[in-house]
Amino acid sequence: MLLKNKLRNLLAGAALVVAMPAMAQQNPAADSVTIRKIYDNALTSYKSYEDLRYLTKNIGARLSGSPQAAAAVDWSKKVMEDMGLDRVYLQEVMVPHWVRGEKEVGRIEGKKKQDVAIAALGSSVGTGKKGLRAEVVEVHSLEELKNKDVKGKIVFFNRPFDNKHIQTGTAYGGAVDQRGGGPVAAAKQGAVGVIVRSMTNDYQDVAHTGNTKYQEGVEKIPAAAISTNGAEMLSKMLKDDAKLKFFMRMNCETQPDVKSYNVIGEIKGTEKPEEIIVVGGHLDSWDLGEGAHDDGTGCMQSIEVLRLFKDMGIKPKRTIRAVMFMNEENGLRGGLKYAEEAKAKGEKHIAAIESDAGGFTPRGFGIDGNDGQYSKVLTWKNLLAPYGLHDLTRGGGGADIGPLKGQGTVALIGFRPDSQRYFDYHHTVIDTFEQVNRREMQLGAASMASLVYLISEYGL
Amino acid sequence: MLLKNKLRNLLAGAALVVAMPAMAQQNPAADSVTIRKIYDNALTSYKSYEDLRYLTKNIGARLSGSPQAAAAVDWSKKVMEDMGLDRVYLQEVMVPHWVRGEKEVGRIEGKKKQDVAIAALGSSVGTGKKGLRAEVVEVHSLEELKNKDVKGKIVFFNRPFDNKHIQTGTAYGGAVDQRGGGPVAAAKQGAVGVIVRSMTNDYQDVAHTGNTKYQEGVEKIPAAAISTNGAEMLSKMLKDDAKLKFFMRMNCETQPDVKSYNVIGEIKGTEKPEEIIVVGGHLDSWDLGEGAHDDGTGCMQSIEVLRLFKDMGIKPKRTIRAVMFMNEENGLRGGLKYAEEAKAKGEKHIAAIESDAGGFTPRGFGIDGNDGQYSKVLTWKNLLAPYGLHDLTRGGGGADIGPLKGQGTVALIGFRPDSQRYFDYHHTVIDTFEQVNRREMQLGAASMASLVYLISEYGL
């Protein structure tokens, strides 16, 4: 940064500080004590972590429409009912029901045959019992695909994460178009199947699933993720033998929609109950692993925020709602439903915070709001800094809370934990309880609770 | 923070910024580009991570005096020689040679017998083949011990980590006196043995070893760490049956000192070669596990700093030395030797940075230096912030670089990674390569390299 800019920022900061008292009657000394107590409580409690253990180990993976997703709804409702909240209720929503079926088979058939780990992409059609066998065309982008003759072939999208990004989410964002848009683009050019390099920074033998999308009028072709080690091997073998074939068999299918629910727990505000602050995660997960970091931790942290308020006897001035959204992974129906009902009821949301980036050590929050809202959050900088919450930047939000955008002046806020390990586990069989550290998860919950507390006291 | 203080800090900051150009001809725009390139290089390189794999998997645990420690010396010297540094050399030092012997046996003998995980503390004497069996007196501090009759008994130090601390190192600091000072204090009151609750935040079944100290003239009694789950169980069983006995058997012993080495690699400075910047970790580890986070990562990161300079063609103005210190864990002989030789040679160290807190995501640096040195580091705040290095606070350093203190005006700097998981693995069988994430480790190396770069350009 240039000196001139530095001075300008400094002066802007000074203006902000001086202006503060006029903005709201804040009491940073008292808030600092309350926030410290929130962390003390969270760091010495095992409730939420043990709840996560139950969700991941006893219920397990919980894809929308599955019996486990239904069990997670019942159980998380009961967990909140047992807390003596002001209100706990379900919000009905029809969700897609995609079923993976048997474990997929993926095999490189060149001079020798080599099994590799694949996982059908969510929403994908199956290959039929006989499987699909075809030559492979490797590409690194949807753009590169355009110039390729892929008729009758399997398109292999193999652009890796750009590891130079400090935030792994940025690398994910730069690669995930292959998974989301690859199958339609390939089908339009006559391809018969798609395999996509797994969305991860790491070299691994596990495949990372995730949703893909078909398009009306374009043939639905089978699509699978291949492990990064498998992708490296396939790419190497293709260089030696461009005519090798890839065999994939998967019997996944989409079944009729199923009735499911968002699960909502609420503490009514004492002074402005009509102003609602949402804190949430998504209750559904992919069917592989246990959905621990994605997004068991976000759900348990959201409930933990309410538990902290209850246990500490904090009576929030504004209403706080923990929302376990259903169907983030393959449809977003829960998020859409929540926003739709909020609109229909004329509810006034002032902020919605989502935790859907893993239960790792908190680094801050991303704020998608207007200048006033962002400035208000910045006035709390010194209250949050002792807890490592330095990343208070613009942009953020979350998939489930996204549909609330534009309803009044709601600020959408994304909880930002450390991102380095997230895509090691994301959408895989290894996203398990064992990968979650109690302290990291609880620091996250305390961070969310602290921000919710400040918003509930002072509005946004 | 009160508004008044906030304004005062702000004005102090402004004064600093305005004064900057007079202090040194810094070029933050160019430095920003260089630092970005350092991160780009580190995040896309696998050299250091693969070296760590070799150190942990092929050499393994490397307690001072062990054949593995000797192998680590030879290997790390060769690694640096292959890099084409200006100078690679060994610094001879005699180190203690303590040997654990067979796996220890720990057993609670109450109404039923219950095996629990124990690990002899480093430097401890053994129990003899027959083992040691005695009643147990539980205490929670050295202070509490004073009022207890422990003659002929085993003292059980059971004060847990205070989990309310945000930094786990602070919790460690608040509990570790039991391990270091417990055996002498207990022996002075006639105890026959000591067991100490493992130094960890977590509930686990693994015991955490670590050094203890005897005192001349006080009887050396056997001392072991007990797993936290074991400690909880023992405490509970003692409440039911104060007369239960604890059985421990360990045949550890201290053998004669062994010749070993610090391993040092150097890039000579182009403008002020006499000004030395040390970046280091310790090459020895405990004999359990693989010494991955403690301190394989610190060593590999230190070498990586030199690799980054070489690979990027950065010719530092001041001399940079990577030092693999020997014997941090149970004697600090390497650190003492290094400082002694530096003094004897009249070397001028301007800064020493140690990485000995794990290979986790970097959060900043702790600076033990004078006001001028600390202010100088703060002028680089905006260059480091984009990489999550917000914790630039006073205090820090590291055990191995500690003995340099007072030699001229050397600043001692401790690299600060995220601390949450460190004591999950510290000094145990589970401190293995698998617990290290390549990106986190490399972000740490890049952080160290960036700070070393700035110091090498502008001095301190």
Side-chain angles (χ1 to χ4, degrees):
Chain A
M1 189 181 278
L2 296 172
L3 275 184
K4 208 166 62 176
N5 287 344
K6 209 162 174 179
L7 264 175
R8 193 189 303 144
N9 285 355
L10 211 62
L11 294 173
L16 196 69
V17 171
V18 174
M20 250 179 63
M23 284 167 61
Q25 290 173 317
Q26 297 206 20
N27 187 344
D31 293 337
S32 158
V33 172
T34 301
I35 289 172
R36 181 65 251 189
K37 284 182 184 163
I38 288 173
Y39 278 88
D40 285 353
N41 189 316
L43 284 170
T44 53
S45 170
Y46 285 76
K47 172 75 172 69
S48 189
Y49 183 66
E50 290 306 320
D51 281 347
L52 179 70
R53 189 196 301 273
Y54 189 93
L55 178 67
T56 52
K57 294 296 178 192
N58 295 47
I59 296 176
R62 45 200 179 278
L63 188 58
S64 292
S66 67
Q68 293 87 346
V73 165
D74 292 344
W75 171 80
S76 58
K77 178 164 178 272
K78 176 144 194 338
V79 165
M80 289 200 282
E81 283 170 348
D82 290 348
M83 290 165 63
L85 302 175
D86 295 326
R87 193 177 166 214
V88 176
Y89 58 105
L90 300 180
Q91 198 167 52
E92 190 180 313
V93 58
M94 295 301 290
V95 295
H97 188 203
W98 179 80
V99 178
R100 184 174 304 276
E102 289 158 30
K103 188 166 165 50
E104 304 85 343
V105 175
R107 190 183 303 138
I108 306 170
E109 298 183 347
K111 284 153 203 160
K112 56 176 189 171
K113 296 188 176 184
Q114 176 70 52
D115 282 345
V116 289
I118 65 166
L121 296 184
S123 305
S124 177
V125 295
T127 57
K129 278 190 180 172
K130 289 190 174 171
L132 169 67
R133 179 177 283 109
E135 287 181 12
V136 176
V137 177
E138 177 176 349
V139 298
H140 298 86
S141 66
L142 298 176
E143 192 59 32
E144 183 187 349
L145 171 67
K146 288 181 187 164
N147 307 314
K148 298 277 183 179
D149 175 13
V150 297
K151 210 171 164 70
K153 297 184 179 171
I154 292 172
V155 174
F156 167 35
F157 289 96
N158 194 28
R159 183 167 83 261
F161 272 28
D162 180 354
N163 262 318
K164 296 198 288 295
H165 292 293
I166 305 296
Q167 303 302 328
T168 59
T170 315
Y172 177 71
V176 75
D177 65 322
Q178 301 173 98
R179 191 188 78 203
V184 164
K188 281 181 178 169
Q189 291 180 226
V192 293
V194 160
I195 43 180
V196 181
R197 182 188 180 97
S198 282
M199 297 291 137
T200 179
N201 304 85
D202 203 5
Y203 289 105
Q204 297 179 322
D205 288 322
V206 297
H208 293 234
T209 191
N211 211 37
T212 191
K213 278 178 188 164
Y214 290 124
Q215 192 177 301
E216 190 126 337
V218 178
E219 200 188 340
K220 296 178 178 180
I221 60 175
I226 180 173
S227 72
T228 43
N229 282 342
E232 291 290 308
M233 187 187 297
L234 176 56
S235 181
K236 197 175 163 195
M237 288 172 75
L238 277 170
K239 284 185 182 64
D240 286 345
D241 176 9
K243 293 286 172 191
L244 67 73
K245 294 194 170 166
F246 193 83
F247 174 76
M248 58 201 283
R249 188 172 62 218
M250 39 199 227
N251 65 346
C252 45
E253 60 173 23
T254 299
Q255 299 179 359
D257 284 3
V258 168
K259 189 193 290 183
S260 187
Y261 305 91
N262 294 327
V263 187
I264 304 172
E266 191 175 289
I267 300 176
K268 273 259 174 299
T270 53
E271 293 186 10
K272 300 191 174 187
E274 74 286 1
E275 295 194 5
I276 298 164
I277 303 159
V278 160
V279 58
H282 62 85
L283 197 52
D284 65 307
S285 77
W286 281 104
D287 55 330
L288 306 171
E290 300 169 358
H293 280 292
D294 188 15
D295 182 28
T297 49
C299 290
M300 295 306 98
Q301 286 170 326
S302 299
I303 296 178
E304 178 72 354
V305 169
L306 300 189
R307 188 197 67 77
L308 286 164
F309 274 76
K310 289 291 285 184
D311 195 56
M312 295 171 62
I314 305 175
K315 295 196 185 308
K317 292 184 179 150
R318 291 162 176 87
T319 293
I320 304 173
R321 249 184 217 170
V323 184
M324 320 290 104
F325 294 95
M326 182 52 68
N327 187 226
E328 190 271 347
E329 294 294 3
N330 58 337
L332 207 67
R333 302 271 185 90
L336 292 164
K337 183 70 175 185
Y338 183 85
E340 182 189 313
E341 293 218 358
K343 194 172 183 182
K345 292 176 187 162
E347 289 179 341
K348 183 183 180 186
H349 284 78
I350 62 166
I353 303 172
E354 180 152 7
S355 170
D356 185 21
F360 304 94
T361 301
R363 304 299 299 254
F365 296 96
I367 296 110
D368 178 6
N370 62 35
D371 289 349
Q373 289 165 331
Y374 182 58
S375 301
K376 187 78 167 265
V377 173
L378 287 189
T379 63
W380 301 324
K381 211 170 152 64
N382 290 333
L383 289 168
L384 302 174
Y387 306 97
L389 299 168
H390 300 282
D391 290 352
L392 301 175
T393 46
R394 298 207 77 148
D400 295 294
I401 57 175
L404 281 172
K405 185 149 184 157
Q407 288 195 21
T409 54
V410 60
L412 305 182
I413 300 176
F415 167 60
R416 286 198 178 147
D418 191 88
S419 76
Q420 300 309 321
R421 290 172 186 249
Y422 189 55
F423 293 98
D424 292 0
Y425 314 127
H426 189 242
H427 296 182
T428 69
V429 291
I430 56 173
D431 182 10
T432 59
F433 179 71
E434 289 74 13
Q435 310 300 344
V436 179
N437 174 282
R438 186 190 71 90
R439 287 180 55 85
E440 293 185 358
M441 171 186 170
Q442 287 296 84
L443 285 170
S447 304
M448 292 157 64
S450 298
L451 183 59
V452 166
Y453 167 75
L454 291 166
I455 299 173
S456 74
E457 284 289 299
Y458 304 115
L460 207 60
Chain B
M1 189 181 279
L2 297 171
L3 276 184
K4 208 165 64 179
N5 289 342
K6 212 164 173 177
L7 265 174
R8 192 188 304 145
N9 287 355
L10 211 61
L11 294 173
L16 196 70
V17 171
V18 173
M20 250 179 61
M23 283 167 65
Q25 290 172 316
Q26 298 205 20
N27 187 345
D31 293 337
S32 159
V33 172
T34 301
I35 289 172
R36 181 64 251 188
K37 284 182 185 162
I38 288 173
Y39 277 88
D40 286 353
N41 189 316
L43 284 170
T44 52
S45 170
Y46 286 76
K47 171 76 171 71
S48 187
Y49 183 66
E50 290 306 320
D51 280 347
L52 179 70
R53 190 195 300 274
Y54 189 92
L55 178 67
T56 52
K57 293 296 178 193
N58 295 46
I59 297 177
R62 45 202 179 278
L63 187 58
S64 292
S66 68
Q68 293 88 346
V73 166
D74 292 344
W75 172 80
S76 58
K77 179 165 177 273
K78 175 141 194 345
V79 166
M80 289 201 281
E81 282 169 348
D82 290 347
M83 290 165 63
L85 302 176
D86 295 326
R87 192 177 168 214
V88 176
Y89 58 106
L90 301 180
Q91 198 169 52
E92 189 180 314
V93 57
M94 295 301 290
V95 296
H97 187 204
W98 178 80
V99 178
R100 184 174 303 276
E102 288 158 32
K103 189 166 165 52
E104 303 86 342
V105 175
R107 190 182 303 137
I108 305 170
E109 299 183 346
K111 283 153 201 161
K112 57 176 187 171
K113 294 187 177 182
Q114 176 69 53
D115 282 344
V116 289
I118 66 167
L121 296 184
S123 306
S124 177
V125 296
T127 58
K129 279 191 179 171
K130 289 190 171 170
L132 169 68
R133 180 178 282 108
E135 288 181 11
V136 177
V137 177
E138 177 177 348
V139 298
H140 297 84
S141 67
L142 298 176
E143 191 60 32
E144 184 188 349
L145 172 67
K146 288 181 187 165
N147 308 312
K148 298 277 184 176
D149 175 13
V150 298
K151 212 171 162 70
K153 296 183 179 170
I154 291 172
V155 174
F156 167 35
F157 289 95
N158 193 28
R159 184 167 83 260
F161 272 27
D162 180 353
N163 262 317
K164 295 198 288 295
H165 292 293
I166 305 298
Q167 303 302 328
T168 59
T170 314
Y172 178 71
V176 76
D177 65 322
Q178 302 174 98
R179 191 188 78 204
V184 163
K188 279 181 178 169
Q189 291 179 226
V192 293
V194 160
I195 43 180
V196 181
R197 183 188 179 97
S198 283
M199 297 291 137
T200 179
N201 306 84
D202 202 5
Y203 290 105
Q204 296 179 324
D205 287 323
V206 296
H208 293 235
T209 191
N211 212 34
T212 191
K213 279 179 186 162
Y214 290 125
Q215 192 177 300
E216 190 126 340
V218 178
E219 200 187 339
K220 296 178 177 180
I221 59 174
I226 180 172
S227 73
T228 43
N229 283 341
E232 291 290 308
M233 185 186 296
L234 176 56
S235 180
K236 197 175 162 195
M237 288 172 75
L238 278 170
K239 283 184 183 64
D240 286 345
D241 175 9
K243 293 287 175 189
L244 67 73
K245 293 192 172 166
F246 193 83
F247 174 75
M248 57 201 283
R249 188 171 63 218
M250 38 198 227
N251 64 347
C252 45
E253 60 174 24
T254 299
Q255 299 179 357
D257 283 2
V258 169
K259 191 193 289 183
S260 188
Y261 305 90
N262 294 327
V263 187
I264 305 172
E266 192 175 289
I267 300 176
K268 274 259 176 295
T270 53
E271 294 187 9
K272 300 192 174 187
E274 74 287 0
E275 295 194 5
I276 299 164
I277 304 159
V278 160
V279 58
H282 63 84
L283 196 52
D284 65 308
S285 78
W286 281 105
D287 54 330
L288 307 171
E290 299 169 358
H293 280 292
D294 188 15
D295 184 23
T297 49
C299 289
M300 296 306 98
Q301 286 170 325
S302 299
I303 295 177
E304 178 72 354
V305 169
L306 300 189
R307 188 197 68 76
L308 286 163
F309 273 75
K310 289 291 286 183
D311 195 57
M312 295 171 62
I314 305 176
K315 297 198 185 304
K317 293 185 178 151
R318 291 161 175 86
T319 293
I320 304 173
R321 250 185 217 170
V323 184
M324 319 289 105
F325 294 95
M326 182 51 67
N327 187 228
E328 190 271 348
E329 295 294 5
N330 58 337
L332 208 66
R333 302 269 185 92
L336 291 164
K337 183 70 174 186
Y338 183 86
E340 183 190 312
E341 292 218 359
K343 195 174 181 179
K345 292 177 190 162
E347 288 179 341
K348 183 182 178 187
H349 284 77
I350 62 166
I353 303 171
E354 180 152 8
S355 169
D356 185 20
F360 304 95
T361 302
R363 305 299 298 255
F365 296 96
I367 296 109
D368 178 6
N370 61 36
D371 289 349
Q373 289 165 330
Y374 181 58
S375 300
K376 187 80 167 266
V377 172
L378 288 189
T379 63
W380 300 324
K381 211 172 153 65
N382 289 335
L383 289 167
L384 302 174
Y387 306 97
L389 299 168
H390 299 283
D391 289 353
L392 302 175
T393 47
R394 299 206 75 148
D400 295 293
I401 57 176
L404 280 173
K405 188 153 184 154
Q407 288 194 22
T409 53
V410 59
L412 305 181
I413 300 175
F415 167 61
R416 287 198 179 148
D418 191 88
S419 76
Q420 299 310 320
R421 290 172 185 245
Y422 188 56
F423 292 98
D424 293 0
Y425 314 126
H426 188 244
H427 296 182
T428 70
V429 293
I430 56 173
D431 182 9
T432 59
F433 180 71
E434 289 74 15
Q435 310 302 343
V436 178
N437 175 281
R438 185 190 71 89
R439 287 179 56 85
E440 293 185 358
M441 172 186 169
Q442 286 297 83
L443 285 170
S447 304
M448 291 157 64
S450 298
L451 183 58
V452 166
Y453 167 75
L454 291 166
I455 299 175
S456 74
E457 283 290 298
Y458 305 114
L460 207 61

